Amino acid sequence: MPQPVRRKGPKPKGDLKKFFRPNGKPTRNSPLWMRIRASMITSFPTYFETNVDRFAAEVGDAVRLLNTLKPGVHGPPYIGEDPSIPDYSDVTDAKVEEFTTPLEDVVQECVDLFDGMPHWSHPFTMPNVIPPANKAAIIAATLTNVMGPNIIEGEYAWNVEKAEMESAAMMAKVIGWDETVAGGIYTYGGSGCYLYALKYALTHVLGYDTRLNGIRTDGKILVSQQGHYAKMNSTDWTGLGMNNIVDIETDDDTNEMDLEDLEEKLQMFQDQKVPVISIICTMGTTDAFAVDPVDKVRALVDKYPNPEGYGPPFIYCDAVIGWSWLFFNDYDFDGNPLGFDDKVLPMLKSNNEKMQTVKYADAVGIDFHKTGWATYNCSLFCMKDLKHFKSLMMRPGSAYLQERTPYNPGLYTLEVSRSGSYALAGWATLRYFGKSGFQSVLGGVLEVQDYLRYLIDQEPNMVCVNEEDSGFVTLFRVYPSGVDADTQYEKEVSDEAYLNEHISNNNYQKQVADIIWEWFRSGKQIDGMYGAYTSYTSGFRTTDYNDDISSDAVIYALKSFPMNVNITSQTMDKLINVVKVANKLAESGKVPGPPDHSDLICPPYDPVAEASGTSGTARVHDLVSGIVGSRAFTRKKKA
């Protein structure tokens, strides 16, 4: 056993008093490390209050410098001056300098990295569910980076931990759970929520022993065809295996999980004595806005319990996109106090009603950085019974960490150390927006979206292909001049004889999208205005004569996500004009070829082939999120 040793000899050089002047600064005779270290004191915020906060001024200078990259009112939808594809070919030349670099130089270099990045607040930026962050979330997240609260335990975060607990209580009430029983953990994104849910489900169904000896049972997770590809990440990283994912068919008209198919599979696994680990209910997809009926799924789970010796199947709601429609729970749809348009109001009500069944889940995933307009990344994994979760996931405490407060989530969280920025950003957003704030921003998305769909209806060679959907995106196809879009699209969707034309017109959608992308990236102006940043989907739904989403008989479409408050009806007028000009160029056959970026990548970041033997039944098309089955084309031109 080691014995204590007392030091002997002269006073150590660590007695540094002789190297300092009375004002606290090192003398010229002090060691070089001491002089460098003294100069670096200014590299950190002061630990005491000052009349003039130099750090606050430096942060303000950095924000002002970043602000200079923003375009003018009618400028392009990117930041800075160089929209070309970034050059990564020299990244391995980077090295750590011998001595410190002045702060202003580092900040300038940092700001330079934003040059050319898409501008998420710009009204012409609408490629996906990527909204700008609100100021309360930005400020809250910044404050945590200054003070460094670590939500591993109360000792290291103190009252900042209340932001996590209060967020969970607020959202439990919105979901319809008992807030005195439910809980929540902020994590790194929707994939983090999914991973938490699957790990919780595995322990819940297979038992605590799996945490000691690993997963030794091929249990199944059941997910609709429209489920997010996080199903692959989670089954892979937990060791359950991607081949244990079981797809559930979806209804062609409603996008919901097909309950008959779900029941058949539950019956089959019960007969085979194979445990179902989890049923993942999708509560709002990126494109089709698919929402599963959780109450009916719960009834089937009760009807088909797992074999003896296993816990009941776990229901997780992947609500990272659809969750915020719950803020319409108390909205007076009859009185309509916020004055939404008569055509939009039923969509708002429908979205809210679809989300009501989320309360039947065991756990729910929420993304504030998507439909909460908060900073990246900011996600909340909510569980209906926090004590149950803790009892299954708790670990022994560490000898060097003490439980000095009642809240110490590091004993059962994945990340252990967690920045307070997630929690404070989400909490600040809830406090800042309130119900009416969420309602107004969400409703505004559908208001401008409805106007865009009206404009599409006025163009004979354009057709909205998701008119039935009430989510955040408008998907539409454009055809060459003289083609009646309604007639042509209906043939392509319903008649296999038109498959070749369908494939050709799918490629045409890609060509138009590529033209718009090239204009966006080159800073080109169309009729005096810059090009838009939009995108396209290469598999929104299947045709009526094909249910195999890996085939060519799927629907390509241009897409518009009007996710920020700066997008107006005038924006949509300009978008349609850009599409029309791009369409003329596509008609002429003068489509720019794909740029060669081979010289912009360097080892070890060159693309690599997938390792052999890794795909199994985890098909490439499983990466498609929100694809739907065939359904009747019913849209009619508006008057």
Side-chain angles (χ1 to χ4, degrees), residues 44-352:
F44 299 85
T46 62
Y47 68 90
F48 51 88
E49 182 183 7
T50 58
N51 292 329
V52 178
D53 191 337
R54 181 176 177 180
F55 173 63
E58 289 164 339
V59 171
D61 289 342
V63 173
R64 282 186 284 274
L65 193 59
L66 186 62
N67 192 58
T68 63
L69 295 182
K70 294 180 181 178
V73 174
H74 301 294
Y78 53 80
I79 302 169
E81 302 294 331
D82 184 9
S84 58
I85 295 296
D87 182 356
Y88 304 135
S89 60
D90 61 351
V91 294
T92 53
D93 295 338
K95 63 179 181 180
V96 178
E97 301 295 340
E98 188 67 29
F99 294 101
T100 58
T101 302
L103 176 63
E104 57 269 22
D105 292 351
V106 175
V107 171
Q108 180 63 66
E109 291 175 17
C110 180
V111 170
D112 289 344
L113 294 175
F114 289 87
D115 193 11
M117 178 182 158
H119 190 1
W120 306 124
S121 295
H122 196 285
F124 249 33
T125 298
M126 46 186 118
N128 210 327
V129 190
I130 311 176
N134 71 82
K135 291 192 293 186
I138 295 170
I139 293 170
T142 301
L143 292 178
T144 63
N145 287 326
V146 176
M147 302 309 297
N150 177 358
I151 309 188
I152 184 176
E153 61 178 15
E155 181 183 354
Y156 292 170
W158 218 246
N159 283 321
V160 173
E161 287 195 319
K162 291 176 67 176
E164 179 164 80
M165 293 183 276
E166 289 185 359
S167 294
M170 285 188 274
M171 289 313 304
K173 290 177 177 132
V174 172
I175 290 170
W177 289 342
D178 182 349
E179 69 276 11
T180 66
V181 176
I185 297 168
Y186 276 96
T187 187
Y188 59 85
S191 294
C193 291
Y194 215 114
L195 187 61
Y196 265 110
L198 183 54
K199 180 59 181 173
Y200 183 9
L202 285 166
T203 311
H204 167 73
V205 174
L206 301 182
Y208 185 89
D209 184 66
T210 57
R211 293 185 58 199
L212 304 175
N213 299 314
I215 306 300
R216 299 292 183 267
T217 303
D218 281 330
K220 308 299 179 183
I221 70 164
L222 280 50
V223 193
S224 85
Q225 291 173 330
Q226 300 186 47
H228 194 270
Y229 57 81
K231 61 188 177 184
M232 299 173 67
N233 298 19
S234 298
T235 51
D236 179 10
W237 285 71
T238 57
L240 178 62
M242 290 183 281
N243 286 350
N244 282 314
I245 299 169
V246 179
D247 287 337
I248 304 299
E249 295 177 4
T250 53
D251 185 274
D252 293 341
D253 295 322
T254 65
N255 302 329
E256 295 177 359
M257 189 182 291
D258 187 310
L259 295 176
E260 290 186 5
D261 187 47
L262 175 62
E263 184 167 12
E264 287 178 6
K265 289 185 168 64
L266 286 171
Q267 176 74 70
M268 177 182 69
F269 291 129
Q270 187 183 68
D271 293 343
Q272 296 174 353
K273 300 190 182 307
V274 173
V276 172
I277 304 299
S278 181
I279 300 175
I280 312 295
C281 292
T282 302
M283 309 302 285
T285 53
T286 304
D287 285 351
F289 197 65
V291 178
D292 292 330
V294 193
D295 55 341
K296 296 175 183 177
V297 173
R298 171 63 69 188
L300 288 175
V301 165
D302 294 340
K303 183 178 179 180
Y304 298 96
N306 273 328
E308 186 177 351
Y310 298 104
F314 187 90
I315 298 179
Y316 171 60
C317 279
D318 182 11
V320 295
I321 289 180
W323 68 277
S324 52
W325 294 112
L326 290 168
F327 286 115
F328 281 93
N329 284 353
D330 301 326
Y331 189 73
D332 179 6
F333 288 101
D334 293 328
N336 191 20
L338 295 181
F340 294 113
D341 187 271
D342 290 343
K343 294 175 182 175
V344 170
L345 197 63
M347 300 169 71
L348 298 173
K349 186 175 183 180
S350 173
N351 289 346
N352 175 254

Side-chain angles (χ1 to χ4, degrees), residues 583-595:
N583 189 37
K584 288 182 180 179
L585 186 58
E587 286 180 29
S588 71
K590 298 178 182 178
V591 180

Side-chain angles (χ1 to χ4, degrees), residues 475-635:
L475 303 172
F476 62 104
R477 283 166 75 88
V478 58
Y479 293 88
S481 301
V483 175
D484 183 80
D486 287 5
T487 302
Q488 181 64 31
Y489 178 62
E490 186 168 10
K491 290 176 179 177
E492 292 172 4
V493 170
S494 60
D495 192 341
E496 191 170 3
Y498 289 86
L499 177 59
N500 288 336
E501 289 184 28
H502 173 67
I503 293 172
S504 175
N505 283 322
N506 272 351
N507 187 57
Y508 192 80
Q509 308 310 307
K510 181 180 182 303
Q511 289 176 350
V512 173
D514 286 346
I515 291 170
I516 297 173
W517 163 261
E518 183 60 29
W519 287 347
F520 160 58
R521 271 294 152 209
S522 64
K524 180 180 174 61
Q525 295 189 43
I526 300 95
D527 294 339
M529 59 168 293
Y530 285 92
Y533 178 25
T534 62
S535 187
Y536 75 100
T537 176
S538 58
F540 159 62
R541 52 158 291 188
T542 63
T543 60
D544 293 348
Y545 49 84
N546 173 59
D547 288 326
D548 183 0
I549 62 177
S550 65
S551 79
D552 292 325
V554 295
I555 308 301
Y556 284 35
L558 305 180
K559 62 169 63 176
S560 166
F561 281 91
M563 291 301 298
N564 80 69
V565 296
N566 297 313
I567 297 175
T568 65
S569 56
Q570 288 83 358
T571 305
M572 295 311 186
D573 289 331
K574 295 174 182 179
L575 173 62
I576 290 297
N577 185 58
V578 168
V579 173
K580 291 165 73 171
V581 176
N583 189 37
K584 288 182 180 179
L585 186 58
E587 286 180 29
S588 71
K590 298 178 182 178
V591 180
D596 182 9
H597 302 312
S598 58
D599 59 334
L600 302 182
I601 298 293
C602 72
Y605 300 102
D606 293 336
V608 296
E610 181 181 347
S612 61
T614 60
S615 58
T617 59
R619 299 148 300 187
V620 172
H621 72 251
D622 280 336
L623 292 174
V624 179
S625 175
I627 196 166
V628 303
S630 60
R631 51 184 171 169
F633 174 61
T634 58
R635 188 187 63 77

